[in-house]
Structure formats: structure tokens, C-alpha cells
Amino acid sequence: MGHDKALLSWGDTDLLGHALERLSAVTDDARILAGAEPRYSQRGVPVVTDPVTDRGPMAGLLAALEAARGGPALLLGVDLPLVPVGLLARLLALAGHADAVVPVSRRGPEPLCAVYGACCLDPVRRCVERKDLKMTAFWTRVRVQEVGPDQLGAFGDPDELFLNVNAPEDYQSALTLARRP
């Protein structure tokens, strides 16, 4: 993108503000996973940094689980602006039935829009320690409930819900889709 995509304009805020609004609609424990550097402290929610460096999203998941202190950790990537509040609420509602609740679109698992319970902490920690950083690497050690395309359809087109804003053209596509009635 050439610059911090969290700060890309989105409605009357930016992508980070939009993510925080959606998270705050379903939980009173919204936090910012800031990676290695403590950033965005002016947003009024706790900022959590990765406990180890150079481990990517898996280190962020570890940070989220540690910060949750035994409660569920709802992740929502800042670059997933089309995920609706209703879907986040549904994932949380299902969290009591599994250790992880993960949407699975036609492209595969969407681990950065998922709920992870306390039982995931030790398996995630072990994966981070051995540098096994695939976001599904620990799934064989926990109970995972997948929310498939048929269930996701109640919240919108599963192919659009998880449009990931990684390039300027993705951002333009997301803006166009968000403006649709």
C-alpha cells in the first residue's frame, strides 16, 4: 500500500476506527493489536504489542490471548472492512461451543476474523516458539468450529465479506462495495 493501511479513510473515520466501532458494538473489551511497536494509543482503547518479534499474525494472536486473560479473544483484521457487526456477534455467540470459531469462505479459513478461547493459548504459544506460524497450525490441538459459506450467506456475499485491503485496487473495490445499497 505504501503507507499504513489502518489510516486509510473509511466513511467519517479510517479503517482502524471502523474496526474499533464494529468490535465495540459486540464487546466492551476492544483492543488494538499493534504488532511490535506500540501505536495508536490515542484511540482510547488498550494497545497490545506482540510478545515476540518477527512472528507475524500468530504473534498477534498470542498477544490477544494473553491480553484476554482467560476470556475469548475476538480478532478482526483492520483490513477487513466489509465484515458486518452481525457476523462478529454470531461468532461470539458460537464461542461457547468450541475453542475457536472461524469463518471459512470459499477461499479458505479467515483466521483474522475469528474468536479464540483460552484453550488456544498454550497451543498458539508452542507454535510461536517453534516458528510454526501458519494460523491454522494449532487447530489439531483445539476444538474448532468452522462457520462455512452457507452460514456466512446470512451476513452477505461470502466472497465479498472477507475482501482483504492489501493493495490500492482492493481498497477501491471495498469502497465501491460499501457504498452499494
Side-chain angles (χ1 to χ4, degrees), residues 57-140:
M58 189 67 92
L61 176 55
L62 177 58
L65 288 165
E66 289 176 347
R69 296 187 182 110
L74 170 62
L75 267 59
L76 176 62
V78 71
D79 54 2
L80 296 172
L82 302 177
V83 173
V85 169
L87 176 54
L88 297 175
R90 180 68 179 143
L91 297 176
L92 279 171
L94 293 171
H97 305 287
D99 300 322
V101 181
V102 184
V104 179
S105 70
R106 288 173 187 76
R107 291 184 300 265
E110 302 291 347
L112 297 180
C113 175
V115 178
Y116 299 94
C119 291
C120 296
L121 179 58
D122 287 335
V124 168
R125 183 178 286 124
R126 285 193 294 275
C127 286
V128 168
E129 288 169 354
R130 67 176 184 267
K131 298 181 183 178
D132 187 1
L133 304 178
K134 186 174 180 184
M135 289 294 287
T136 59
F138 65 98
W139 282 19
T140 58

Side-chain angles (χ1 to χ4, degrees), residues 14-34 37-49 67 69 74 76 78:
D14 53 27
L15 287 179
L16 178 56
H18 180 58
L20 288 171
E21 288 170 358
R22 290 175 291 152
L23 288 168
S24 295
V26 296
T27 181
D28 56 3
D29 191 28
R31 299 170 186 270
I32 296 172
L33 302 177
E37 299 296 323
R39 308 176 284 169
Y40 316 118
S41 60
Q42 72 281 11
R43 298 301 177 114
V45 298
V47 174
V48 180
T49 56
R69 296 187 182 110
L74 170 62
L76 176 62
V78 71

